[in-house]
């Protein structure tokens, strides 16, 4: 690391004002501060100093995402093996998934960071770090068979129109990764839903897989719920790609069809522990999402007239992107509520709205994405009324003491 530090110090004058590469100063600073903690300190005014900055915060979030990402890679290979009737072993299963997911991560980062680098150069500002997390979230919340060009287009749209036009990192109203997913869903619905996009059946990498087995269906549990008729109330059972019943334990472990990083609740909970232990995410928001979802699912269970209404609260929390959204999306400090009381309200409404959308809209059985985006809009309003309530309470307390 010392050799790298010395090399950066050697070439740094080329990127400073007057240097031959001064036009790329923000790019150099972005790379330098990513590799090393900045040594600059404030010269005047009152400041709070801490060892952690936004880059370190983003790094912790990425570390928290790794369990879900790595499991998602394995699950991609596992679902492929089930579909084609093969069993090449753990390592080859993981390698298949790794090779399938890696291009999506590369495309996401190249497009997103490319736009952010370009904007920073035009504005002559430092490169912002927010896309370090968004860049890995985007490939984790899409089906495995999403074409790379679609991911590129959607990422570019989200970075420009959901982030940069608002002023960049820290100013965006909507979660950038979810805007990417929403763009894909509404612009290319056939590539985002159905029973063919969540399981890769083609032997893309020439690993000697067999042919697709008879009766194969890659529909997710929520997709199966959406098309189940009323006559199946009380008898509905979600099945895997081979038609075998999926248990609640299977949903918890994540060996089921779904978006790349959203299937394993166990891996997501490991990430949640990391975020809570480091203080990056708010437990108030996170827990409230689960409480709101369970509460609304229980209400629908009591009045249920469709299969979607009769899904148990626990199964609702385990399937689809509910757990992933509660841990990594709803807790986004930029787009969620910031007041302590507001976090409870915001989280509860996110969870409740997700279940409402799932139960009442069979055309979009997931629900979590739209619920979080909707509550992103109302987060400032929630904070406003919480602050106003606090002010009025203090005013009334002062009046009573006179």
């Amino acid at each position: 690391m010392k050799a790298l530090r010395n090399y950066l110090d050697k070439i740094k004058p080329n990127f400073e004002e007057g240097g031959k590469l001064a036009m790329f100063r923000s790019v150099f600073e972005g790379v330098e501060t990513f590799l090393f903690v900045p040594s600059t300190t404030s010269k005047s005014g009152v400041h709070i100093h801490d060892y952690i900055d936004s880059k370190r915060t983003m790094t912790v979030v990425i570390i928290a995402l790794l369990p879900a990402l790595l499991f998602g890679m394995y699950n991609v290979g596992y679902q492929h093996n089930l579909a084609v009737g093969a069993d090449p072993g753990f390592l080859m299963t993981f390698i298949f998934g790794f090779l399938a997911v890696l291009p999506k991560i590369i495309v996401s980062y190249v497009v997103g960071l490319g736009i952010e680098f370009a904007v920073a150069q035009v504005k002559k500002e430092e490169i912002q770090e927010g896309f370090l997390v968004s860049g890995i979230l985007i490939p984790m919340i899409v089906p495995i068979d999403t074409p790379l060009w679609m991911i590129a287009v959607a990422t570019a749209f989200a970075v420009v129109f959901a982030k940069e036009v608002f002023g960049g990192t820290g100013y965006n109203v909507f979660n950038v990764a979810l805007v990417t997913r929403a763009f894909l869903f509404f612009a290319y619905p056939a590539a985002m839903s159905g029973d063919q996009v969540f399981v890769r059946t083609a032997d893309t990498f020439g690993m000697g897989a067999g042919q697709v087995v008879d009766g194969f269906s890659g529909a997710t549990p929520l997709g199966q719920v959406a098309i189940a008729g009323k006559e199946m109330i009380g008898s509905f059972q979600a099945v895997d790609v081979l038609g075998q019943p999926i248990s609640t334990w299977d949903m918890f472990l994540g060996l089921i069809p779904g978006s790349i990083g959203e299937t394993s609740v166990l891996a997501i909970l490991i990430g949640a522990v990391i975020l809570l232990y480091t203080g990056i995410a708010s437990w108030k928001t996170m827990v409230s999402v689960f409480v709101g979802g369970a509460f609304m699912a229980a209400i629908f269970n009591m009045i249920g007239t469709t299969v979607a209404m009769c899904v148990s609260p626990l199964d609702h929390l385990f399937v689809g992107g509910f757990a992933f959204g509660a841990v990594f999306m709803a807790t986004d400090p930029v787009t969620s509520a910031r007041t302590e009381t507001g976090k409870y309200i915001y989280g509860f409404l996110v969870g409740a709205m997700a279940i409402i959308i799932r139960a009442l809209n069979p055309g979009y059985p997931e629900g979590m994405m739209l619920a979080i985006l909707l509550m992103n809009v109302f987060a400032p309003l929630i904070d406003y009324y919480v602050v106003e309530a606090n002010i009025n309470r203090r005013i009334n307390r002062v009046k009573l003491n006179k």
Side-chain angles (χ1 to χ4, degrees):
M1 294 301 290
K2 185 176 181 180
L4 179 59
R5 178 69 268 178
N6 292 336
Y7 176 73
L8 291 176
D9 290 338
K10 180 180 179 180
I11 65 175
K12 189 172 184 176
N14 295 321
F15 295 91
E16 294 177 342
E17 189 173 351
K20 58 183 179 180
L21 298 175
M23 63 180 298
F24 298 111
R25 180 179 179 180
S26 61
V27 176
F28 176 83
E29 288 181 343
V31 174
E32 181 187 29
T33 56
F34 179 76
L35 295 173
F36 297 95
V37 176
S39 59
T40 55
T41 58
S42 53
K43 302 298 183 183
S44 63
V46 179
H47 298 270
I48 297 175
H49 296 269
D50 199 344
Y51 71 94
I52 193 166
D53 60 8
S54 55
K55 285 188 178 67
R56 273 65 202 171
T57 299
M58 300 302 168
T59 301
V60 172
V61 177
I62 291 175
I63 292 173
L65 283 164
L66 286 180
L69 176 63
L70 294 176
F71 182 90
M73 290 176 174
Y74 174 78
N75 190 47
V76 167
Y78 177 79
Q79 297 300 323
H80 168 78
N81 292 340
L82 285 182
V84 300
D87 185 14
F90 175 85
L91 181 60
M92 295 304 294
T93 298
F94 178 80
I95 290 175
F96 180 94
F98 174 81
L99 293 176
V101 175
L102 183 62
K104 292 174 171 54
I105 297 175
I106 293 174
V107 168
S108 175
Y109 273 121
V110 168
V111 173
L113 288 179
I115 293 174
E116 294 219 343
F117 275 43
V119 171
Q121 291 299 141
V122 171
K123 297 169 68 176
K124 296 183 179 179
E125 296 178 351
E126 292 184 0
I127 294 172
Q128 299 167 334
E129 304 86 6
F131 197 78
L132 290 176
V133 171
S134 298
I136 198 169
L137 281 174
I138 290 170
M140 292 178 71
I141 60 176
V142 298
I144 186 58
D145 266 354
T146 306
L148 296 180
W149 69 267
M150 286 187 186
I151 294 177
V153 171
T155 300
F157 174 87
V159 172
V160 173
F161 292 103
K163 184 176 182 181
E164 297 302 338
V165 296
F166 289 99
T169 300
Y171 296 96
N172 50 295
V173 177
F174 300 100
N175 183 289
V176 176
L178 285 177
V179 170
T180 304
R181 184 68 170 80
F183 179 90
L184 287 169
F185 180 80
F186 292 109
Y188 311 105
M192 293 295 111
S193 58
D195 61 357
Q196 302 297 321
V197 300
F198 290 100
V199 177
R200 175 158 290 183
T201 56
D203 185 16
T204 312
F205 312 110
M207 299 177 70
Q211 299 297 316
V212 177
V213 299
D214 293 336
F216 159 78
S217 174
T220 65
L222 284 177
Q224 297 172 40
V225 168
I227 61 175
K230 293 183 178 181
E231 68 280 0
M232 300 185 68
I233 294 177
S235 62
F236 173 79
Q237 174 66 60
V239 297
D240 62 15
V241 298
L242 299 180
Q244 300 299 314
I246 296 176
S247 67
T248 300
W249 180 248
D250 293 328
M251 298 176 188
F252 178 75
L253 292 180
L255 294 174
I256 58 176
S259 295
I260 295 168
E262 295 181 346
T263 62
S264 177
V265 177
L266 175 60
I268 291 167
L269 290 181
I270 294 173
V273 171
I274 295 173
L275 292 181
L276 295 177
Y277 178 77
T278 56
I280 300 298
S282 168
W283 68 266
K284 297 176 182 178
T285 302
M286 199 180 294
V287 172
S288 296
V289 175
F290 286 106
V291 172
F295 173 80
M296 189 53 61
I299 295 296
F300 277 120
N301 280 183
M302 290 188 291
I303 61 173
T305 58
T306 65
V307 171
M309 290 183 179
C310 296
V311 174
S312 73
L314 188 60
D315 285 351
H316 263 303
L317 303 187
F318 283 1
V319 297
F322 193 97
F324 191 88
V327 173
F328 296 109
M329 302 291 197
T331 56
D332 178 3
V334 176
T335 58
S336 64
R338 303 186 184 188
T339 58
E340 296 307 306
T341 302
K343 291 174 182 178
Y344 288 116
I345 300 171
Y346 173 85
F348 184 89
L349 291 177
V350 166
M353 186 58 65
I355 302 304
I356 290 173
I357 295 173
R358 284 183 177 184
L360 302 182
N361 183 12
Y364 182 65
E366 172 50 57
M368 198 58 173
M369 174 188 74
L370 293 182
I372 296 176
L373 288 175
L374 177 63
M375 294 315 301
N376 284 168
V377 176
F378 287 98
L381 186 64
I382 292 172
D383 283 338
Y384 171 80
Y385 280 109
V386 169
V387 172
E388 285 295 303
N390 288 337
I391 293 173
N392 291 333
R393 186 164 54 250
R394 292 180 182 182
I395 291 174
N396 291 332
R397 186 163 59 233
V398 170
K399 290 179 179 179
L400 289 174
N401 291 332
K402 285 184 177 180

